């Protein structure tokens, strides 16, 4: 029962870390995570633990690990004494497998720097006339492009 | 109002209404790494449009599209080309 609770807390923690690191949702503070997920932990235990998990998640995402690489990486992490437990490794593995695609999408989005194309509207004019020019018979396509960040 | 014999069609740019497309350049790139992700596989298209306003001043506008966005962009232009043929 204690393990299930620990797994659930770690899942929640990883989710918040991902929201912050990849999806740009910077709402949740360390204090909030601590009080909500690990209320029985000492602050001097929680903060290093949080950083450890953040580091592991960032390493996995940065290397865009496939499942073989992930297993190898997590096994190595559990072998380092007192670093992560095999239960924690299982939670991390499950998290990456279910969130990998979404995180990859967010990372690609972060690498999209120029304006994106938000919208394209068009119109074809058969005849045109204006104050300065006589009537023309050349069809003209007028295109309106709307640009924005993260298009 | 009939003008004297026109040598070339006067498009909207010269009527101070819209800009005129002078040139269209494109580039297909593949982002392999960035500061936010060491291992990326992100193909994208960068387009540079050269437009002239009514005074003849040329401006560049560049923007980036993902492959699906570019396919949509291309499809719309194909549609425009088809329609303009029929007018």
């Amino acid at each position: 029962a204690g393990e299930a609770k620990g797994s659930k807390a770690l899942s929640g923690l990883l989710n918040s870390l991902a929201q912050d690191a990849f999806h740009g949702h910077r709402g949740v503070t360390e204090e909030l995570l601590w009080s909500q997920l690990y209320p029985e932990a000492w602050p001097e235990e929680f903060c290093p633990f949080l950083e450890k998990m953040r580091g592991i998640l960032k390493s996995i995402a940065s290397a865009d690990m496939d499942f073989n690489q992930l297993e190898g990486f997590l096994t190595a992490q559990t072998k380092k004494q007192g670093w992560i437990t095999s239960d924690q490794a299982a939670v991390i593995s499950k998290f990456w497998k279910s969130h990998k695609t979404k995180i990859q999408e967010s990372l690609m989005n972060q690498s999209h720097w120029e304006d994106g194309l938000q919208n394209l509207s068009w119109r074809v004019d058969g005849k045109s006339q204006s104050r300065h020019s006589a009537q023309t018979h050349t069809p003209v396509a007028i295109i309106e492009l709307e640009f924005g960040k993260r298009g | 109002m009939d003008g004297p014999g026109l040598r070339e069609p006067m498009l909207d740019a010269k009527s101070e209404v819209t800009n005129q497309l002078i040139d269209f350049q494109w580039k297909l790139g593949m982002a392999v790494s960035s500061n936010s992700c060491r291992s990326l596989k992100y193909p994208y298209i960068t387009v540079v449009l050269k437009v002239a306003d009514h005074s003849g001043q040329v401006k560049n506008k560049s923007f980036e599209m993902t492959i699906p966005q570019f396919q949509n962009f291309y499809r719309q232009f194909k549609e425009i080309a088809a329609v303009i043929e029929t007018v």
Side-chain angles (χ1 to χ4, degrees), chain B residues 16-41:
Chain B
E16 301 180 37
V17 175
T18 58
N19 301 313
Q20 184 173 350
L21 183 66
I22 308 288
D23 193 23
F24 178 106
Q25 293 177 352
W26 60 268
K27 178 177 81 184
L28 170 63
M30 174 76 92
V32 297
S33 191
S34 79
N35 59 296
S36 53
C37 184
R38 289 286 186 269
S39 181
L40 274 174
K41 264 189 297 268

Side-chain angles (χ1 to χ4, degrees), chain A residues 22 61-64 104 107-117 120-136 138-143 145 147 150-151, chain B residues 1-3 6 9-12 14-18 31 33-44 46 49 61-66 69 72-73 76-77 79-80 83-84 87:
Chain A
F22 311 122
S62 193
D64 191 26
Q104 280 173 335
L107 286 171
M108 283 205 281
N109 220 28
Q110 280 180 19
S111 305
H112 180 135
W113 293 348
E114 298 258 20
D115 272 352
L117 186 61
L120 188 160
S121 313
W122 61 269
R123 189 184 84 217
V124 169
D125 287 354
K127 293 180 181 190
S128 303
Q129 184 171 23
S130 81
R131 208 174 75 199
H132 301 290
S133 66
Q135 201 176 61
T136 79
T138 310
V140 171
I142 315 279
I143 297 160
L145 301 169
F147 300 109
R150 307 279 185 259
Chain B
M1 197 176 8
D2 283 343
L6 296 172
M10 303 214 349
L11 300 178
D12 272 1
K14 298 200 178 128
S15 314
E16 301 180 37
V17 175
T18 58
S33 191
S34 79
N35 59 296
S36 53
C37 184
R38 289 286 186 269
S39 181
L40 274 174
K41 264 189 297 268
Y42 167 48
Y44 62 94
T46 304
L49 300 173
K61 174 67 192 172
S62 70
F63 60 100
E64 203 177 288
M65 289 179 276
T66 63
Q69 285 172 348
N72 181 48
F73 180 80
Q76 303 225 45
F77 273 86
E79 220 179 295
I80 296 169
V83 168
I84 210 167
V87 173

Side-chain angles (χ1 to χ4, degrees), chain A residues 28-55:
Chain A
V28 187
T29 60
E30 282 182 11
E31 285 79 13
L32 192 65
L33 287 175
W34 175 37
S35 62
Q36 299 246 306
L37 300 173
Y38 293 90
E40 286 122 36
W42 295 106
E44 53 266 30
E45 287 175 326
F46 180 71
C47 293
F49 174 72
L50 182 68
E51 287 319 301
K52 184 181 352 188
M53 289 303 151
R54 196 198 306 270

Side-chain angles (χ1 to χ4, degrees), chain A residues 69-81:
Chain A
Q69 291 169 312
L70 181 69
E71 290 313 306
F73 174 74
L74 289 174
T75 306
Q77 299 291 305
T78 56
K79 292 222 158 81
K80 284 196 235 180
Q81 202 165 39

